[in-house]
């Protein structure tokens, strides 16, 4: 299998007043192309911090994160911004859609930032919205969509740039159970049929049940790694 992420001796340490907080404490870990993996643990275990470090949204105190052989911790702020745009898809708990844009425009936005031609951008946005079950809602703004529908737009947007992998931080946390199940089915199908890599930070037992690998964190350290058959 193709290793796309290599993490070695990763630390993220915050100094709060007299106390030192090790949000990520010496993590060494690899991810393969096509994974459907959940990073789990109690609140404060470091799972969101780890996800943010992998995504270049935060900078490690020490250690390295290599994505396809490139150490992203060594990149400048401008370089990491461009790298994220072209290589990493994000799905956030709060959806993070642009309220004044339609579903189609939200999905197109990333491709426009990449400089893709408008005809190609529109066609791919429509195809992705169809793939996540939103055909007919392309011109709806976020306020006119349910939470589950907004998160489907976020999935389509994450896929738009054809990223190497997708990081999903508590993607089902704000959804009712039916919407969460529908969203998970879509992501699992995309993983299975298109070999798209998903890495989740989650408390949701439904994600854990579908994950092929579960990485458990506590106090910033890996306590176990389990494989689901």
């Amino acid at each position: 299998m193709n290793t796309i992420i290599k993490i070695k001796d990763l630390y993220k340490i915050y100094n709060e007043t007299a106390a030192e907080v090790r949000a990520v404490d010496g993590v060494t870990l690899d991810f393969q192309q096509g994974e459907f993996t959940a990073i789990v643990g109690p609140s404060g275990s470091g799972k969101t911090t780890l996800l943010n470090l992998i995504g270049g949204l935060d900078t490690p105190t020490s250690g390295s994160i290599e994505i396809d052989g490139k150490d992203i911790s060594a990149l400048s702020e401008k370089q990491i911004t461009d790298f994220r745009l072209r290589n990493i898809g994000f799905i956030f708990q709060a959806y993070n859609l642009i309220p004044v844009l339609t579903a189609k425009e939200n999905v197109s936005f990333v491709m426009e930032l990449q400089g893709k031609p408008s005809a190609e951008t529109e066609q791919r946005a429509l195809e992705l919205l169809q793939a996540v079950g939103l055909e007919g809602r392309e011109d709806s703004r976020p306020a006119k969509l349910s939470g589950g529908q907004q998160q489907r737009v976020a999935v389509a947007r994450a896929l738009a740039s054809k990223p190497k992998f997708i990081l999903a931080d508590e993607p089902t946390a704000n959804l009712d159970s039916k919407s969460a199940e529908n969203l998970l089915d879509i992501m699992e199908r995309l993983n299975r049929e298109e070999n798209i890599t998903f890495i989740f930070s989650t408390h949701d037992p439904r994600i854990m049940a579908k994950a092929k690998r579960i990485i458990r964190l506590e106090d910033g350290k890996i306590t176990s790694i389990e494989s689901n058959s």
Side-chain angles (χ1 to χ4, degrees):
M1 292 181 71
N2 181 28
T3 301
I4 55 171
I5 304 168
K6 291 181 73 71
I7 298 167
K8 187 173 181 183
D9 295 330
L10 193 66
Y11 289 85
K12 181 64 179 181
I13 301 171
Y14 298 98
N15 291 302
E16 297 182 359
T17 60
E20 180 182 85
V21 177
R22 295 184 169 228
V24 173
D25 191 1
V27 167
T28 295
L29 193 59
D30 290 352
F31 292 93
Q32 313 297 322
Q33 178 68 41
E35 285 212 33
F36 200 77
T37 292
I39 300 170
V40 305
S43 294
S45 60
K47 56 188 184 299
T48 294
T49 303
L50 179 57
L51 219 65
N52 287 342
L53 290 169
I54 295 169
L57 297 172
D58 204 351
T59 306
T61 304
S62 63
S64 64
I65 305 165
E66 289 187 6
I67 298 174
D68 270 1
K70 183 183 286 287
D71 185 355
I72 65 167
S73 50
L75 299 178
S76 69
E77 192 171 332
K78 183 179 184 305
Q79 287 172 324
I80 193 63
T81 299
D82 187 63
F83 187 84
R84 278 198 308 266
L85 176 65
R86 300 183 187 284
N87 295 280
I88 307 172
F90 294 93
I91 304 168
F92 299 99
Q93 179 178 337
Y95 320 138
N96 287 16
L97 301 179
I98 301 170
V100 298
L101 300 184
T102 65
K104 182 176 69 178
E105 289 166 343
N106 265 284
V107 176
S108 299
F109 186 61
V110 173
M111 294 180 282
E112 289 169 2
L113 289 175
Q114 290 180 318
K116 299 279 176 64
S118 58
E120 177 188 333
T121 292
E122 180 165 354
Q123 179 63 30
R124 179 156 173 79
L126 292 172
E127 288 171 358
L128 287 168
L129 288 168
Q130 183 177 3
V132 299
L134 286 177
E135 192 171 11
R137 302 307 304 268
E138 299 91 347
D139 295 323
S140 299
R141 289 190 170 86
K144 298 293 185 183
L145 299 172
S146 70
Q149 289 170 330
Q150 289 185 61
Q151 197 61 303
R152 290 189 197 194
V153 176
V155 172
R157 179 185 59 188
L159 292 165
S161 62
K162 299 183 179 177
K164 289 186 169 66
F165 57 90
I166 290 176
L167 300 174
D169 188 15
E170 300 280 9
T172 57
N174 292 332
L175 303 181
D176 61 74
S177 58
K178 183 168 174 46
S179 297
E181 287 285 359
N182 288 339
L183 183 74
L184 277 172
D185 286 344
I186 288 166
M187 291 191 285
E188 190 180 36
R189 174 174 54 80
L190 290 165
N191 170 258
R192 183 178 64 250
E193 294 178 0
E194 301 189 32
N195 204 35
I196 293 167
T197 305
F198 285 89
I199 303 170
F200 298 89
S201 156
T202 188
H203 287 100
D204 191 336
R206 289 167 297 203
I207 295 179
M208 295 180 216
K210 289 181 181 291
K212 296 168 187 169
R213 189 163 67 134
I214 297 173
I215 298 162
R216 296 190 183 276
L217 287 186
E218 195 157 343
D219 297 328
K221 292 178 179 290
I222 296 174
T223 58
S224 69
I225 298 177
E226 305 157 21
S227 293
N228 282 346
S229 55

